[in-house]
Amino acid sequence: MNENQIHIACTKLVNVLNDNESFVYLNGIHAIAALAAHNRVYVVNFYVEIFENIPREENNYGLMVSDRHRAIIAEALSMILRRSGSTAPKLVPSIISACLKIVRNLRPNSHVMQSVTQSGTNFQKLRLKPTTAIADITESEMNDDKKDDTVDLQEPELPSVPIETAVLADQLLLRQSALSLLADAIAFAGWTSQKYMTDVVDVAVGILTLETGYNEVMRLSRRTASFLLRYIVNGLQEKLFIMGGPGEGGIGTDSGSHLLLIYRTLKLLSDDHDDVVKLHVQTALSQIGELVREDISSNMGVNEKAPKITIL
C-alpha cells in the first residue's frame, strides 16, 4: 500500500472507531494494528495527532473525535506497539509526549469531583455508554419505564445524570487510557525511555501522593498510576539500576535515582486503603526485591555470604 491508500484507510477507520457498537470498534482497533504493518510511522503519527486532540486547524488531517473515542485510539496505539517488535523504540517519542500532555491537562477539577461524589454516580457503569446517549436520557423516558410492567431482559438504561458528569466520565476514561498507553510505551521503549523517565515517574508519583481522596475519581486514577509504576518496574527491570535523573550540578546521570524514588513511593503505599492499589504496589515491590537480589548475587564471590538488606 502506498501512503495515499494508507491515509484513506486511516480516515475510514476513524469513523469505525466512532461507532458505539463494541463489536464494530473493537474490530476497528485490530484493523488499525494490521494497517500499521504497512507503514507504522505514518499510522502512529496519524492517530497520535487525533489522540492528542490537536486543534483541527493545526493538525494535518482535519479530524476531531470525542474523548471517549480518543481513549479507544489509545488502545489501538497500544496494540501497534505490542506488534512492533524491535521498531517500537522509534514510535514511542510522540506517543509518550501525547500521553503526558493528556494526563497533565485532565487532572479532575476538585469542585466537579465534590459534586459527583455527593451525587453517588457510579463511573464504572457510566463509562459503558457514550456521553451523547447519557445526555439523551430524559426524565420522561425514565418515568415511562417505571410504568411499563413488562419484563425487560436487556441491560437497564443508566439513570439520567448532568452532562458535566458524563463529560467527566469520558475524561476520566481518557486519562486512564493515556496512563495505560504510557506504561506500554515506556516498557517497549527500552533504553529510549531514559530521557522521558523523569517526567513519567513524576506524573505517577504526583497522582499517588497528591490525589489522595476517597472518591471514585481519585480511586480510579490512583489505581492506574500504581499500575504504571508496576509496569515500569516489570518492563525495564535491571535497566532501572542505571537510569536516573541529572547528576549533581546537572552533570552526568544519578544512576538508580528513578528506582529509588519508585521504591520509596511504593513503600509509602504498601498499606494503601484501596486493595487494587495495594496489589500493584506489593507486586512491584516484590519485583524490585528480586532485581536487587539478582544484582547482588551476580557481583558476589564464590564463598561470599549475601548481606541482609534492610533498606534500599
Coordinates of all heavy atoms in Angstrom, one line a residue, residues 254-309:
D254 N 22.5 10.6 37.7 CA 22.4 10.0 39.0 C 21.8 8.6 38.9 O 20.6 8.4 39.0 CB 21.5 10.9 39.9 CG 21.5 10.4 41.3 OD1 22.3 9.5 41.7 OD2 20.7 11.0 42.1
S255 N 22.6 7.6 38.6 CA 22.2 6.3 38.3 C 21.3 5.7 39.5 O 21.7 5.8 40.6 CB 23.4 5.3 38.1 OG 24.1 5.7 37.0
G256 N 20.2 5.1 39.1 CA 19.3 4.5 40.1 C 18.4 5.4 40.8 O 17.6 4.9 41.6
S257 N 18.4 6.7 40.5 CA 17.6 7.6 41.3 C 16.1 7.4 41.0 O 15.3 7.6 41.9 CB 18.0 9.1 40.9 OG 17.8 9.4 39.6
H258 N 15.8 7.0 39.7 CA 14.4 6.8 39.4 C 13.9 5.5 40.2 O 12.7 5.6 40.7 CB 14.2 6.5 37.9 CG 14.5 7.7 37.1 ND1 14.1 9.0 37.4 CD2 15.1 7.8 35.9 CE1 14.4 9.8 36.5 NE2 15.0 9.1 35.5
L259 N 14.7 4.5 40.3 CA 14.3 3.3 41.0 C 14.1 3.6 42.5 O 13.2 3.1 43.1 CB 15.4 2.2 40.8 CG 15.1 0.9 41.6 CD1 13.8 0.3 41.1 CD2 16.3 0.0 41.3
L260 N 15.0 4.5 43.0 CA 14.9 4.8 44.5 C 13.6 5.6 44.7 O 12.9 5.3 45.7 CB 16.1 5.7 44.9 CG 16.2 6.1 46.3 CD1 16.2 4.9 47.2 CD2 17.4 6.9 46.6
L261 N 13.2 6.5 43.9 CA 12.0 7.3 44.0 C 10.8 6.4 43.9 O 9.8 6.5 44.7 CB 11.9 8.4 43.0 CG 10.7 9.2 43.0 CD1 10.4 9.9 44.4 CD2 10.7 10.3 41.9
I262 N 10.8 5.4 42.9 CA 9.7 4.5 42.8 C 9.6 3.6 44.0 O 8.5 3.4 44.5 CB 9.9 3.6 41.5 CG1 9.8 4.5 40.3 CG2 9.0 2.5 41.5 CD1 10.2 3.7 39.0
Y263 N 10.7 3.1 44.5 CA 10.7 2.3 45.7 C 10.1 3.0 46.9 O 9.3 2.4 47.6 CB 12.1 1.8 46.0 CG 12.2 0.9 47.2 CD1 11.9 -0.4 47.2 CD2 12.6 1.5 48.4 CE1 12.0 -1.2 48.4 CE2 12.7 0.7 49.6 CZ 12.4 -0.6 49.5 OH 12.5 -1.4 50.7
R264 N 10.6 4.2 47.2 CA 10.1 4.9 48.3 C 8.6 5.2 48.2 O 7.9 5.1 49.2 CB 10.9 6.2 48.5 CG 12.3 6.0 49.0 CD 13.1 7.3 49.0 NE 14.4 7.1 49.6 CZ 15.4 8.0 49.5 NH1 15.3 9.1 48.9 NH2 16.6 7.7 50.2
T265 N 8.2 5.5 47.0 CA 6.7 5.8 46.8 C 5.9 4.5 47.1 O 4.9 4.6 47.7 CB 6.5 6.3 45.4 OG1 7.3 7.5 45.2 CG2 5.0 6.6 45.2
L266 N 6.4 3.4 46.6 CA 5.7 2.1 46.7 C 5.7 1.7 48.2 O 4.6 1.2 48.7 CB 6.4 1.1 45.9 CG 6.3 1.2 44.4 CD1 7.2 0.2 43.7 CD2 4.9 1.1 43.9
K267 N 6.7 2.0 48.9 CA 6.8 1.6 50.4 C 5.7 2.4 51.1 O 5.1 1.9 52.0 CB 8.2 1.8 50.9 CG 9.2 0.8 50.5 CD 8.9 -0.6 51.0 CE 9.1 -0.7 52.5 NZ 8.9 -2.1 53.0
L268 N 5.6 3.7 50.8 CA 4.6 4.6 51.5 C 3.2 4.1 51.2 O 2.3 4.3 52.0 CB 4.8 6.0 51.0 CG 6.0 6.7 51.5 CD1 6.2 8.1 50.8 CD2 6.0 6.9 53.0
L269 N 3.0 3.4 50.1 CA 1.7 3.0 49.6 C 1.4 1.5 50.0 O 0.3 1.0 49.6 CB 1.5 3.2 48.1 CG 1.5 4.6 47.6 CD1 1.6 4.6 46.1 CD2 0.3 5.4 48.1
S270 N 2.3 0.9 50.7 CA 2.2 -0.6 50.9 C 1.0 -0.9 51.8 O 0.5 -2.0 51.8 CB 3.4 -1.1 51.6 OG 3.8 -0.4 52.7
D271 N 0.5 0.1 52.5 CA -0.7 -0.1 53.4 C -1.9 0.8 52.9 O -2.7 1.2 53.7 CB -0.4 0.2 54.8 CG 0.5 -0.8 55.5 OD1 0.4 -2.0 55.1 OD2 1.4 -0.4 56.3
D272 N -1.9 1.0 51.6 CA -3.0 1.8 51.0 C -4.4 1.3 51.3 O -4.6 0.1 51.5 CB -2.8 1.9 49.5 CG -3.6 3.1 48.9 OD1 -3.1 4.2 48.9 OD2 -4.7 2.9 48.4
H273 N -5.4 2.2 51.4 CA -6.7 1.8 51.7 C -7.4 1.0 50.6 O -8.4 0.4 50.8 CB -7.6 3.0 52.1 CG -7.6 4.1 51.1 ND1 -6.7 5.1 51.1 CD2 -8.4 4.3 50.1 CE1 -7.0 5.9 50.1 NE2 -8.0 5.4 49.4
D274 N -6.9 1.2 49.3 CA -7.5 0.5 48.2 C -6.8 -0.8 47.9 O -5.6 -0.8 47.7 CB -7.4 1.5 47.0 CG -8.2 0.9 45.8 OD1 -7.6 0.1 45.0 OD2 -9.4 1.3 45.6
D275 N -7.5 -1.9 47.8 CA -6.9 -3.2 47.6 C -6.3 -3.3 46.2 O -5.2 -4.0 46.1 CB -8.0 -4.3 47.7 CG -8.5 -4.4 49.2 OD1 -7.7 -4.1 50.1 OD2 -9.6 -4.9 49.4
V276 N -6.8 -2.7 45.2 CA -6.2 -2.8 43.9 C -4.8 -2.1 43.8 O -3.8 -2.6 43.3 CB -7.1 -2.2 42.8 CG1 -6.5 -2.3 41.4 CG2 -8.4 -3.0 42.8
V277 N -4.8 -0.9 44.4 CA -3.5 -0.1 44.5 C -2.5 -1.0 45.3 O -1.3 -1.1 44.9 CB -3.7 1.2 45.2 CG1 -2.4 1.9 45.5 CG2 -4.6 2.1 44.3
K278 N -3.0 -1.5 46.4 CA -2.1 -2.3 47.3 C -1.5 -3.5 46.5 O -0.4 -3.9 46.7 CB -2.9 -2.8 48.5 CG -2.0 -3.4 49.6 CD -2.8 -3.9 50.8 CE -3.6 -2.8 51.4 NZ -4.3 -3.3 52.6
L279 N -2.4 -4.2 45.7 CA -1.9 -5.3 44.9 C -0.8 -4.9 43.9 O 0.2 -5.6 43.8 CB -3.1 -5.9 44.1 CG -2.7 -7.0 43.1 CD1 -2.1 -8.2 43.8 CD2 -3.9 -7.4 42.2
H280 N -1.0 -3.8 43.2 CA 0.0 -3.3 42.2 C 1.3 -3.0 43.0 O 2.4 -3.3 42.5 CB -0.5 -2.1 41.5 CG -1.5 -2.4 40.5 ND1 -1.5 -3.4 39.6 CD2 -2.7 -1.8 40.2 CE1 -2.5 -3.5 38.8 NE2 -3.3 -2.5 39.2
V281 N 1.2 -2.3 44.1 CA 2.3 -1.9 44.9 C 3.1 -3.1 45.4 O 4.4 -3.2 45.3 CB 1.9 -1.1 46.1 CG1 3.0 -0.9 47.1 CG2 1.4 0.3 45.6
Q282 N 2.4 -4.1 46.0 CA 3.1 -5.3 46.5 C 3.8 -6.1 45.4 O 4.9 -6.6 45.6 CB 2.1 -6.1 47.3 CG 1.6 -5.5 48.6 CD 0.5 -6.3 49.3 OE1 -0.1 -7.2 48.7 NE2 0.2 -5.9 50.5
T283 N 3.2 -6.2 44.3 CA 3.8 -6.9 43.1 C 5.0 -6.2 42.7 O 6.1 -6.8 42.4 CB 2.8 -7.0 42.0 OG1 1.6 -7.6 42.4 CG2 3.4 -7.8 40.8
A284 N 5.0 -4.9 42.6 CA 6.1 -4.1 42.1 C 7.3 -4.2 43.2 O 8.5 -4.3 42.8 CB 5.8 -2.6 41.9
L285 N 7.0 -4.1 44.5 CA 8.0 -4.2 45.5 C 8.6 -5.6 45.5 O 9.9 -5.7 45.6 CB 7.4 -4.0 46.9 CG 7.0 -2.5 47.2 CD1 6.3 -2.5 48.5 CD2 8.3 -1.7 47.3
S286 N 7.9 -6.6 45.2 CA 8.4 -8.0 45.1 C 9.4 -8.1 43.9 O 10.4 -8.7 44.0 CB 7.2 -9.0 45.0 OG 7.7 -10.3 44.8
Q287 N 9.0 -7.5 42.8 CA 9.9 -7.5 41.6 C 11.2 -6.7 41.9 O 12.2 -7.2 41.4 CB 9.1 -6.9 40.4 CG 8.0 -7.8 39.9 CD 7.1 -7.1 38.9 OE1 7.0 -5.9 38.9 NE2 6.5 -7.9 38.0
I288 N 11.1 -5.6 42.6 CA 12.3 -4.8 42.9 C 13.2 -5.7 43.8 O 14.4 -5.7 43.6 CB 11.9 -3.5 43.6 CG1 11.2 -2.6 42.6 CG2 13.1 -2.8 44.2 CD1 10.7 -1.3 43.1
G289 N 12.6 -6.4 44.8 CA 13.4 -7.2 45.7 C 14.1 -8.3 44.9 O 15.3 -8.5 45.2
E290 N 13.5 -8.9 43.9 CA 14.1 -9.9 43.1 C 15.3 -9.3 42.3 O 16.3 -9.9 42.2 CB 13.1 -10.6 42.2 CG 12.1 -11.5 42.9 CD 12.8 -12.7 43.5 OE1 13.8 -13.2 42.9 OE2 12.3 -13.1 44.5
L291 N 15.0 -8.1 41.7 CA 16.1 -7.5 40.9 C 17.3 -7.2 41.8 O 18.4 -7.4 41.3 CB 15.5 -6.2 40.3 CG 14.5 -6.3 39.2 CD1 13.9 -4.9 38.9 CD2 15.1 -6.9 38.0
V292 N 17.1 -6.7 43.0 CA 18.2 -6.3 43.9 C 19.0 -7.6 44.3 O 20.2 -7.6 44.3 CB 17.7 -5.6 45.1 CG1 18.8 -5.4 46.2 CG2 17.1 -4.2 44.8
R293 N 18.2 -8.7 44.6 CA 18.9 -9.9 45.0 C 19.7 -10.5 43.8 O 20.9 -10.9 44.0 CB 17.9 -10.9 45.5 CG 17.5 -10.7 46.9 CD 16.6 -11.9 47.4 NE 15.3 -11.9 46.8 CZ 14.3 -11.2 47.3 NH1 14.4 -10.5 48.5 NH2 13.1 -11.2 46.8
E294 N 19.2 -10.4 42.6 CA 19.9 -10.9 41.5 C 21.1 -10.1 41.2 O 22.2 -10.6 40.8 CB 19.0 -10.9 40.2 CG 17.9 -12.0 40.3 CD 17.0 -11.9 39.1 OE1 17.3 -11.1 38.2 OE2 15.9 -12.6 39.1
D295 N 21.0 -8.7 41.3 CA 22.1 -7.9 41.1 C 23.3 -8.1 42.1 O 24.4 -8.1 41.7 CB 21.7 -6.4 41.2 CG 22.8 -5.4 40.8 OD1 23.2 -5.4 39.6 OD2 23.2 -4.7 41.7
I296 N 22.9 -8.3 43.4 CA 23.9 -8.5 44.4 C 24.6 -9.9 44.2 O 25.8 -10.0 44.3 CB 23.3 -8.5 45.8 CG1 22.9 -7.0 46.1 CG2 24.2 -9.0 46.9 CD1 22.1 -6.9 47.4
S297 N 23.7 -10.9 43.9 CA 24.3 -12.3 43.7 C 25.2 -12.3 42.5 O 26.3 -13.1 42.6 CB 23.1 -13.3 43.5 OG 22.2 -13.3 44.6
S298 N 25.0 -11.6 41.5 CA 25.8 -11.7 40.3 C 27.2 -11.0 40.5 O 28.1 -11.3 39.8 CB 25.1 -11.0 39.1 OG 24.9 -9.6 39.4
N299 N 27.3 -10.2 41.6 CA 28.6 -9.5 41.9 C 29.3 -10.1 43.1 O 30.2 -9.5 43.6 CB 28.3 -8.0 42.1 CG 27.9 -7.3 40.8 OD1 28.6 -7.2 39.8 ND2 26.6 -6.8 40.8
M300 N 28.8 -11.2 43.6 CA 29.4 -11.8 44.8 C 30.4 -12.8 44.4 O 30.4 -13.4 43.3 CB 28.3 -12.5 45.6 CG 27.4 -11.5 46.4 SD 26.1 -12.3 47.2 CE 26.9 -13.7 48.0
G301 N 31.4 -13.0 45.3 CA 32.4 -14.1 45.1 C 31.8 -15.4 45.4 O 30.6 -15.5 45.9
V302 N 32.5 -16.5 45.1 CA 32.0 -17.9 45.3 C 31.6 -18.2 46.7 O 30.6 -18.7 47.0 CB 33.1 -18.9 44.8 CG1 32.6 -20.3 45.0 CG2 33.5 -18.6 43.4
N303 N 32.5 -17.8 47.7 CA 32.2 -18.1 49.1 C 31.6 -16.9 49.9 O 31.6 -17.0 51.1 CB 33.5 -18.6 49.8 CG 34.0 -19.9 49.1 OD1 33.2 -20.8 48.8 ND2 35.3 -20.0 48.9
E304 N 31.3 -15.9 49.2 CA 30.8 -14.7 49.9 C 29.4 -14.9 50.3 O 28.5 -15.4 49.5 CB 31.0 -13.5 49.0 CG 30.8 -12.2 49.7 CD 31.1 -11.0 48.7 OE1 31.6 -11.2 47.6 OE2 30.8 -9.9 49.1
K305 N 29.1 -14.4 51.5 CA 27.7 -14.6 52.0 C 26.9 -13.3 51.6 O 27.4 -12.2 51.8 CB 27.7 -14.7 53.5 CG 26.4 -15.0 54.2 CD 26.5 -15.2 55.7 CE 25.1 -15.4 56.3 NZ 25.2 -15.6 57.8
A306 N 25.7 -13.5 51.2 CA 24.8 -12.4 50.8 C 24.4 -11.6 52.0 O 24.1 -12.1 53.0 CB 23.5 -13.0 50.1
P307 N 24.6 -10.2 51.9 CA 24.2 -9.4 53.0 C 22.7 -9.3 53.2 O 21.9 -9.5 52.3 CB 24.8 -8.0 52.6 CG 24.8 -8.1 51.1 CD 25.0 -9.5 50.7
K308 N 22.3 -9.0 54.4 CA 20.9 -8.8 54.7 C 20.5 -7.3 54.3 O 21.1 -6.4 54.8 CB 20.6 -9.0 56.2 CG 19.2 -8.9 56.5 CD 18.9 -9.1 58.0 CE 17.5 -8.9 58.4 NZ 17.2 -9.1 59.8
I309 N 19.5 -7.2 53.5 CA 19.1 -5.9 53.0 C 18.0 -5.4 53.9 O 16.9 -6.0 54.0 CB 18.6 -6.0 51.5 CG1 19.7 -6.6 50.7 CG2 18.2 -4.6 51.0 CD1 19.3 -6.8 49.2

